[in-house]
Amino acid sequence: QANFYSFGNCEEMIARASQKRSKSIKQMGKVDSKTIEEKLSGSDILLTIGNNSDSEVPSKLFEYLSYGKPIIHFFYSDKDKYLEYLARYPMALCIKIDVNKAEEAANQIVAFANLVKGQHICNSTVRQLYKECTPEYVAHQMIRTMNQ
């Protein structure tokens, strides 16, 4: 079952999917940060839906990476900024949104879910993969810039 704890410009799409597939897709709406942390920690696979903007990398991606869970990312554009980060992540499946390829996407999701079932990436591995995104690296860069 896919539970969407979300708000924003995809709500109509999620609502339609939830109405069509009420047993497998649930629209949960916006929740507080404590609840979302509990839900993310308890999830088997995390889902993301790409932005329409090709110039932004929402911090949500880095939050998801920090959990070390498998990630399925649905995207619209080949320029989606998530793609370059998820290409390095060992347990990511990126699916371009295309209604003509829905059955193929469903098969990919099932195969991926079976492949990564019960797997987890430890925090030290995630930190190695994304050194440039750690608070320590960002702080170091800021200090270096201020000292120039």
Side-chain angles (χ1 to χ4, degrees):
Q1 178 172 319
N3 295 320
F4 286 85
Y5 296 87
S6 59
F7 61 97
N9 61 0
C10 287
E11 289 308 295
E12 288 179 34
M13 179 176 61
I14 295 168
R16 284 193 306 273
S18 180
Q19 289 170 354
K20 286 181 182 178
R21 307 267 190 263
S22 62
K23 291 183 181 178
S24 57
I25 298 174
K26 300 284 184 195
Q27 182 180 24
M28 310 304 281
K30 186 176 182 177
V31 296
D32 62 72
S33 59
K34 182 180 180 203
T35 300
I36 199 63
E37 186 175 328
E38 290 170 2
K39 298 300 180 183
L40 291 172
S41 293
S43 296
D44 296 319
I45 297 174
L46 304 178
L47 305 175
T48 63
I49 299 174
N51 289 346
N52 290 333
S53 169
D54 294 336
S55 62
E56 299 175 4
V57 182
S59 61
K60 179 65 61 194
L61 172 63
F62 303 107
E63 180 182 0
Y64 274 31
L65 292 170
S66 74
Y67 282 91
K69 306 256 181 164
I71 297 172
I72 298 174
H73 178 64
F74 297 96
F75 66 98
Y76 298 96
S77 166
D78 293 331
K79 295 180 181 178
D80 184 318
K81 293 294 186 183
Y82 275 55
L83 298 176
E84 65 185 82
Y85 290 97
L86 290 174
R88 290 187 266 164
Y89 195 69
M91 292 192 306
L93 173 63
C94 298
I95 297 177
K96 189 164 190 176
I97 297 172
D98 182 344
V99 293
N100 297 317
K101 295 183 178 180
E103 188 173 333
E104 179 184 332
N107 291 335
Q108 287 179 307
I109 291 167
V110 170
F112 178 75
N114 288 329
L115 180 68
V116 299
K117 186 176 183 175
Q119 292 187 34
H120 182 266
I121 299 172
C122 68
N123 192 271
S124 62
T125 301
V126 173
R127 290 177 70 81
Q128 273 187 310
L129 290 169
Y130 302 98
K131 289 177 194 166
E132 76 281 10
C133 301
T134 62
E136 296 84 2
Y137 180 86
V138 173
H140 176 67
Q141 292 298 100
M142 289 176 66
I143 291 168
R144 198 177 89 178
T145 300
M146 288 188 293
N147 289 335
Q148 289 181 352

